[in-house]
Amino acid sequence: MPSVDARWRVRRARLEDVVVIDAMVRELATYEREPDAVTATVEDFRAALFGPDPRVHAHVAEVAAHERTDPDGADADAPDDQDAGWQVAGMAVWYVTFSTWRGRHGIWLEDLFVRPEHRGVGIGRGLLQALAAECVARGLPRLEWWVLDWNTPAHGFYRSLGALPQDEWTVWRLDGPALPEVSGLSEVSEVSEPDGRPTP
């Protein structure tokens, strides 16, 4: 069951969320000290998350209207739609993986992000709880993600949940000019499999 609090709630992302998901991906890249690394567009997210054969998924966290303030501290106006009074404040973007050793699928959490002004009230934990529930409901034995080495607050948070770092693994990546060179093809197809660490 999705996490919910009097001040916030977690739900599956909908088509209308792609604009704010795109914005939060860019905010996350800035936080991770790579503000110019994002080349994805709103259309990319729309196609990936809500195309005819989506292989990536997302949950979003929303905060209640009374939890929102404008820069001067006044209550923000609620939007005029079916979810008036709620605003997206965080996201979890994920996809299904496979472990050859277990012979089972799992979930890879690609991005977890909560906007700074909404941290400290349990939203990050709520997003992880929703993904853990997704694993349990689907019979998937594993939820994984990576964390930058310097992000010590995140390390402490994840340890508090019972998650363990997989220090024996080193992430490797083949991209840029090296990828078509290795493939023997002149260019990389625009359709590719999701990026993620091997899970043997």
Side-chain angles (χ1 to χ4, degrees), residues 25-93:
V25 166
R26 296 171 193 284
E27 292 166 33
L28 175 59
T30 298
Y31 174 75
E32 293 184 345
R33 307 172 185 174
E34 293 193 75
D36 300 320
V38 179
T39 60
T41 66
V42 171
E43 287 304 317
D44 289 330
F45 290 117
R46 182 175 289 114
L49 290 164
F50 301 102
D53 183 26
R55 284 182 269 176
V56 63
H57 314 278
H59 282 65
V60 296
E62 297 177 305
V63 293
H66 65 275
E67 293 298 316
R68 292 185 286 136
T69 57
D70 66 20
D72 297 321
D75 289 340
D77 293 330
D80 296 324
D81 60 23
Q82 63 179 350
D83 287 316
W86 294 91
Q87 179 186 42
V88 175
M91 67 172 184
V93 179

Side-chain angles (χ1 to χ4, degrees), residues 129-173:
Q129 182 182 354
L131 266 60
E134 191 81 32
C135 284
V136 172
R138 292 172 175 237
L140 309 180
R142 180 181 287 179
L143 170 60
E144 296 180 295
W145 60 94
W146 52 37
V147 185
L148 288 166
D149 289 342
W150 57 259
N151 194 350
T152 51
H155 288 223
F157 169 59
Y158 295 137
R159 285 183 186 276
S160 75
L161 299 176
L164 298 173
Q166 305 298 300
D167 296 331
E168 67 273 20
W169 289 96
T170 299
V171 176
W172 290 72
R173 177 176 294 166

Side-chain angles (χ1 to χ4, degrees), residues 47-128:
L49 290 164
F50 301 102
D53 183 26
R55 284 182 269 176
V56 63
H57 314 278
H59 282 65
V60 296
E62 297 177 305
V63 293
H66 65 275
E67 293 298 316
R68 292 185 286 136
T69 57
D70 66 20
D72 297 321
D75 289 340
D77 293 330
D80 296 324
D81 60 23
Q82 63 179 350
D83 287 316
W86 294 91
Q87 179 186 42
V88 175
M91 67 172 184
V93 179
W94 57 276
Y95 54 86
V96 174
T97 59
F98 183 75
S99 167
T100 54
W101 286 12
R102 292 197 179 193
R104 304 279 297 279
H105 289 288
I107 283 179
W108 183 270
L109 171 58
E110 180 66 13
D111 280 340
L112 176 71
F113 181 73
V114 178
R115 284 176 159 161
E117 64 269 27
H118 299 296
R119 293 174 188 167
V121 297
I123 292 175
R125 180 183 293 266
L127 285 162
L128 281 169

